[in-house]
Amino acid sequence: MPAEPRTPFTDRLRDHTVPLAGLDPQAPLDDLEPLRDIIGGARVVAVGEHSHFIEEFALIRRRVLRFLVERCGFTVLAFEYGFSEGFALDAWARGEGAAGDLDDHLSGTVPVGLREPLRWIREHNRAAARPVRFAGVDIPAAGGSLLPALAPVADYLGEVDPEALPELREAMRIAGSFAGASGAAAAPAWARLAAAEQDALTAALARLLIRFRAVEELYVSRGGRPGYDTALQRLEGACHADHAFRALAGLFAGEGLTADTSARDAYMAGSLRWHLERSGPGTRVLLAAHNAHIQKSPVSFDGRLTGFPMGRYLHTALGDDYFALGLTSTTGHTAEMHRDEGAPLGFTVEETPLGPPEPGSIEAAFADAGLGLGVADLRPARTGTAPGPDRIRMQSTYLHTPVAEAFDAVLSTPASTAAGAL
């Protein structure tokens, strides 16, 4: 029998939770139909996860992707993946190249669950009247290297402004000296650079960015508007990634500025809007990223504001056109990430048991309500008098935040399983 509710919120949760039939991405989608009313007319629906590398979350996202595309007319899948690198994946998803090319595109990147959704999109697009596009929104290489953004900018400058190439090549030289597969690998390598090199990189990127903006008319006249807009956003990504290295170094040293790590999320929100503004009328986007990126409330640890998430920026810009669906699990295991410079990606993943849900958490509310796999609409809780949950899982710990303000809905699975070894 389900446990008796600890708080009045548990009763409200029962009333506003829709049970789901299962996780199989190929199963019929009728059980997801209530999700149509929950998301309403939102143009951007973000689907999160409390940890990367969780099998159940990957399956849920693939089911939701199918539902939103097949039944709700969504035509863009955006991902916590490099803006610059995303263009090659979009071309592949629309049928360019061979099926096996996907392995080459994703080789050496952090496996954030892209492979199967992209394969499904490519197959779907074979007969689709309106193809589904792919959009990357993140800084290059998840902060691992500036080169995926700077290399195509160099090609662009070679066509429209060869005079600026020496400045860019100097930035690429320094960036190449600490490049890694992820931010976990690159950040400590950046920190070991001489201060003069760090400053030279930042100065070169700043001069290039200011020149891009100052001579926009010249660049557009020589290379067209689309090429300029794309190159500028790529350069912005490199600048934000460079800022993120300084912000992380300061955070780890206990000397960082308040909320300085917001730069990455600000860029992701800007990239999502960049894609949205250049898409056709009626475009609707599924955005996949970590819960801590999609939530609407600021991120704080031990009472200290550490950053504003992408979801905060998107909610401010889009209002109700932005919908945040958090994913969590009541029990099971998580994939805890540990920094390890000797590992290929700069970190290792350890399968870690999840403890019982903490009192006051959304997971405890699901357990107390006797709910299994299901999606809860949290918006009615914002107008109630019963206090809502004040924490949600993040890896093997909890992020303290007003959950009903951070997310519009939460989808919970009874148990989670860490995916296979990276």
Side-chain angles (χ1 to χ4, degrees):
M1 294 292 291
E4 290 299 316
R6 295 179 184 174
T7 69
F9 174 82
T10 310
D11 288 329
R12 296 176 68 91
L13 189 68
R14 285 198 190 100
D15 293 339
H16 296 284
T17 296
V18 176
L20 301 181
L23 300 174
D24 183 0
Q26 306 304 319
L29 299 172
D30 289 347
D31 60 314
L32 284 171
E33 272 298 327
L35 189 59
R36 186 196 302 270
D37 292 332
I38 293 174
I39 66 172
R43 297 174 65 199
V44 178
V45 173
V47 182
E49 54 187 359
H50 72 47
S51 307
H52 292 315
F53 320 121
I54 299 297
E55 182 66 25
E56 289 78 5
F57 296 161
L59 295 173
I60 289 169
R61 279 179 170 174
R62 288 166 59 190
R63 286 205 77 208
V64 172
L65 172 64
R66 271 191 61 213
F67 175 77
L68 294 181
V69 169
E70 293 180 1
R71 301 200 178 185
C72 300
F74 280 59
T75 53
V76 177
L77 170 64
F79 231 90
E80 185 183 336
Y81 186 82
F83 170 87
S84 189
E85 304 96 299
F87 289 96
L89 295 186
D90 177 50
W92 185 87
R94 288 183 288 114
E96 291 188 16
D101 291 346
L102 181 60
D103 291 336
D104 294 331
H105 289 310
L106 296 179
S107 176
T109 63
V110 179
V112 290
L114 256 178
R115 195 177 305 272
E116 293 308 318
L118 282 171
R119 285 174 175 162
W120 182 84
I121 289 174
R122 183 177 169 104
E123 184 60 30
H124 169 85
N125 283 344
R126 292 181 186 276
R130 188 177 180 188
V132 176
R133 304 292 300 265
F134 175 80
V137 300
D138 206 351
I139 56 178
S145 173
L146 309 188
L147 298 180
L150 293 181
V153 172
D155 293 338
Y156 175 76
L157 288 179
E159 297 177 2
V160 303
D161 189 12
E163 292 177 280
L165 274 173
E167 189 90 69
L168 182 60
R169 286 172 178 154
E170 174 63 5
M172 292 178 68
R173 178 192 68 77
I174 301 172
S177 70
F178 63 88
S182 75
W190 176 91
R192 288 192 294 269
L193 289 179
E197 289 279 86
Q198 295 172 352
D199 293 344
L201 175 60
T202 299
L205 293 174
R207 285 192 292 267
L208 286 163
L209 184 60
I210 291 172
R211 176 164 176 78
F212 256 75
R213 291 173 175 165
V215 300
E216 174 181 350
E217 181 178 348
L218 177 65
Y219 283 11
V220 171
S221 70
R222 291 176 174 177
R225 169 59 62 181
Y228 172 82
D229 288 348
T230 302
L232 176 61
Q233 187 65 14
R234 281 173 159 147
L235 182 56
E236 290 270 12
C239 291
H240 281 73
D242 176 66
H243 182 93
F245 291 131
R246 292 182 183 273
L248 286 172
L251 182 66
F252 290 136
E255 304 168 351
L257 302 177
T258 300
D260 208 24
T261 60
S262 304
R264 178 184 176 190
D265 281 82
Y267 178 77
M268 287 197 285
S271 293
L272 191 284
R273 294 177 62 196
W274 189 98
H275 286 292
L276 197 61
E277 290 164 2
R278 288 160 180 78
S279 300
T283 295
R284 303 183 77 183
V285 180
L286 186 157
L287 169 62
H290 196 284
N291 281 352
H293 289 309
I294 73 163
Q295 70 179 60
K296 298 178 176 181
S297 58
V299 175
S300 298
F301 289 100
D302 298 325
R304 177 178 171 81
L305 176 65
T306 57
F308 295 105
M310 168 175 56
R312 180 80 167 188
Y313 295 109
L314 290 175
H315 176 60
T316 299
L318 302 177
D320 290 341
D321 272 340
Y322 176 71
F323 186 96
L325 172 63
L327 266 55
T328 192
S329 58
T330 307
T331 61
H333 291 75
T334 191
E336 195 66 66
M337 299 166 63
H338 302 286
R339 295 176 66 186
D340 180 355
E341 289 192 63
L345 295 175
F347 61 87
T348 57
V349 175
E350 179 183 3
E351 185 172 7
T352 304
L354 292 172
E358 283 190 2
S361 68
I362 185 66
E363 294 81 10
F366 266 90
D368 292 345
L371 298 169
L373 178 65
V375 57
D377 186 350
L378 298 184
R379 292 169 299 179
R382 296 172 186 166
T383 58
T385 57
D390 65 1
R391 68 201 68 184
I392 186 169
R393 288 196 191 278
M394 178 185 281
Q395 277 82 261
S396 58
T397 185
Y398 281 86
L399 177 67
H400 288 249
T401 191
V403 178
E405 300 298 326
F407 301 96
D408 298 296
V410 167
L411 194 159
S412 179
T413 181
S416 56
T417 308
L422 299 183

